Amino acid sequence: MDQGHSRLQQYPWLPPVLLVGSVGLELVTPKIVSGAALIAVAGMAAAISGTFRYTVMIVGVGLVLTGISAFEAHHGYASAAVQVAEIVIASALALAVRRMLDSQSAKFSVVRSTAEQLQRAVLPPLPKIIGPMTVACRYEAANTVARIGGDLYAVAETPFGLRLLIADVRGKGLGAVSAVSVIVGAFHERAESEADLEGLAERLDRAVARAAEQYADPFGIDAAEAFATALLIEIDRRGATLRLLSCGHPAPYLVQDGEVRELDTGQATPPLGMRNLAPSIGGPHSYDFPNGATLLCVTDGVTEARNAAGTFFDPVSDLKPVPDGDPEQLIGALFSSVGRWTKKKRSDDMAVLAVARDAADEAVPRGQATA
């Protein structure tokens, strides 16, 4: 219904064309043929495609045309009174449908506004400037109706430097919101006290596992299957070094001088909520963070976006253009590139977090992984 309604809204000219068609039908066909059916259809099309006022206008014109036509001689056709009654009933039905759609639209607007406020409460806007770093983020849920889903990001300034989190909860929609709140809350609580990323990952893992055990279906799925992939990042206080720890999450990208380079995170640790399966696997990797470079972190809504041929989107080769130094422009270019790649047909949430180091900072040579 929603998709059909949306498509009809693109054709506001259809009801007038149907009315003109009814007049033409009356003029060029034998009198036994009536254009009343087109008038009835015009009223319903107006109800679905336009406003209540527009529907009243189309229905009114239709009734006038019906009156003119009905009281001419229609040999072999129903009486004039019956013909008028049919159109009156169809017109009343069209107006009732328009009222019902208006009522549903008002209720939907309240629900969507509530969902958007809930999303902002769980994922509040990030500061744009933190120390020597410029931060930008963007989130689009696969559920375009509720505009809420299971991807998340967070940033915290700590004694150990700037710490960032981007994660993807299993599932999407309203069922994933409680899991998002658990992970974001645990990150902000522990990011300032855990001495290293491994300890922080363990704390987040415990929070996910504890929530899955203690609360009634907090993830909208079976507790044994509750998990979230995550990427933890630490940028030292000078902004010169990156440390990355992947918990089953897609690798980040380093963007500089129009070049996009994927950073190897090594063997990933298990996702949050599943680290007990292999607690000793994986570890952090370190990279130099060149001045003027941007760290681009994404969820699998980006890396698993497919084109018509079923090919996955690859930011290294498919992100065009590649703006330098401005994380907001970079994110905008990424979303535009993914939209062109998928022709705006996505089935997964998509979150992006970008951090740029000010080019005016002390120069740091382009380094390799040191972990």
Side-chain angles (χ1 to χ4, degrees):
M1 177 72 174
D2 289 340
Q3 291 181 349
H5 183 200
S6 177
R7 283 194 293 268
L8 276 175
Q9 285 181 319
Q10 300 174 12
Y11 305 103
W13 46 264
L14 180 59
V17 168
L18 290 171
L19 293 179
V20 172
S22 73
V23 174
L25 195 63
E26 293 280 355
L27 294 176
V28 302
T29 61
K31 290 186 178 297
I32 195 173
V33 179
S34 172
L38 291 181
I39 293 175
V41 173
M44 191 59 67
I48 297 175
S49 65
T51 63
F52 185 80
R53 181 177 297 180
Y54 180 69
T55 305
V56 169
M57 182 184 71
I58 294 296
V59 164
V61 173
L63 288 172
V64 170
L65 294 177
T66 301
I68 294 173
S69 172
F71 289 100
E72 293 181 353
H74 279 276
H75 303 294
Y77 187 70
S79 68
V82 172
Q83 181 178 344
V84 172
E86 289 174 347
I87 299 303
V88 168
I89 293 172
S91 299
L93 180 60
L95 293 174
V97 168
R98 183 63 256 171
R99 281 297 191 195
M100 180 185 68
L101 290 174
D102 287 341
S103 176
Q104 290 180 341
S105 178
K107 293 177 181 178
F108 170 74
S109 295
V110 172
V111 171
R112 185 166 66 177
S113 176
T114 301
E116 289 175 344
Q117 294 199 16
L118 177 60
Q119 186 75 18
R120 284 194 292 270
V122 174
L123 294 179
L126 301 180
K128 293 185 177 181
I129 303 293
I130 305 179
M133 301 296 165
T134 303
V135 180
C137 58
R138 185 169 168 182
Y139 174 85
E140 284 188 5
N143 187 341
T144 56
V145 175
R147 297 185 183 179
I148 193 166
D151 287 9
L152 63 103
Y153 41 69
V155 176
E157 193 170 12
T158 75
F160 314 102
L162 185 64
R163 285 181 169 174
L164 306 98
L165 165 70
I166 186 166
D168 182 0
V169 173
R170 182 178 184 271
K172 47 184 173 285
L174 293 171
V177 176
S178 57
V180 170
S181 65
V182 166
I183 296 171
V184 172
F187 174 80
H188 284 296
E189 179 184 359
R190 308 304 307 188
E192 295 188 9
S193 58
E194 291 297 331
D196 52 43
L197 293 182
E198 297 95 318
L200 180 56
E202 290 176 4
R203 291 289 185 176
L204 298 181
D205 177 79
R206 291 179 197 171
V208 171
R210 184 168 56 248
E213 292 174 358
Q214 293 181 352
Y215 300 103
D217 202 19
F219 292 82
I221 55 178
D222 185 82
E225 299 178 343
F227 66 88
T229 66
L231 177 68
L232 290 166
I233 306 111
E234 181 180 280
I235 304 174
D236 71 345
R237 298 179 65 84
R238 290 179 57 243
T241 303
L242 299 169
R243 299 186 74 239
L244 311 172
L245 178 62
S246 173
C247 301
H249 197 80
Y253 302 88
L254 196 66
V255 181
Q256 187 179 29
D257 300 330
E259 175 188 349
V260 181
R261 178 165 60 105
E262 183 175 351
L263 299 181
D264 181 16
T265 56
Q267 185 176 15
T269 66
L272 302 179
M274 303 180 69
R275 288 174 62 89
N276 62 311
L277 300 178
S280 61
I281 291 180
H285 269 46
S286 296
Y287 287 88
D288 292 333
F289 196 4
N291 58 332
T294 302
L295 181 68
L296 180 65
C297 308
V298 303
T299 58
D300 62 8
V302 173
T303 56
E304 295 182 3
R306 298 172 183 254
N307 63 10
T311 305
F312 290 121
F313 179 83
D314 182 4
V316 173
S317 57
D318 301 322
L319 172 55
K320 306 292 181 186
V322 185
D324 276 327
D326 187 333
E328 286 282 0
Q329 289 187 7
L330 179 62
I331 289 177
L334 177 64
F335 272 76
S336 296
S337 295
V338 172
R340 289 192 299 269
W341 187 262
T342 62
K343 298 188 183 301
K344 298 184 178 180
K345 296 178 181 178
R346 295 187 297 106
S347 59
D348 200 0
D349 303 336
M350 193 162 69
V352 179
L353 176 63
V355 185
R357 186 182 175 202
D358 191 345
D361 284 352
E362 179 184 353
V364 177
R366 299 185 72 157
Q368 302 296 322
T370 58

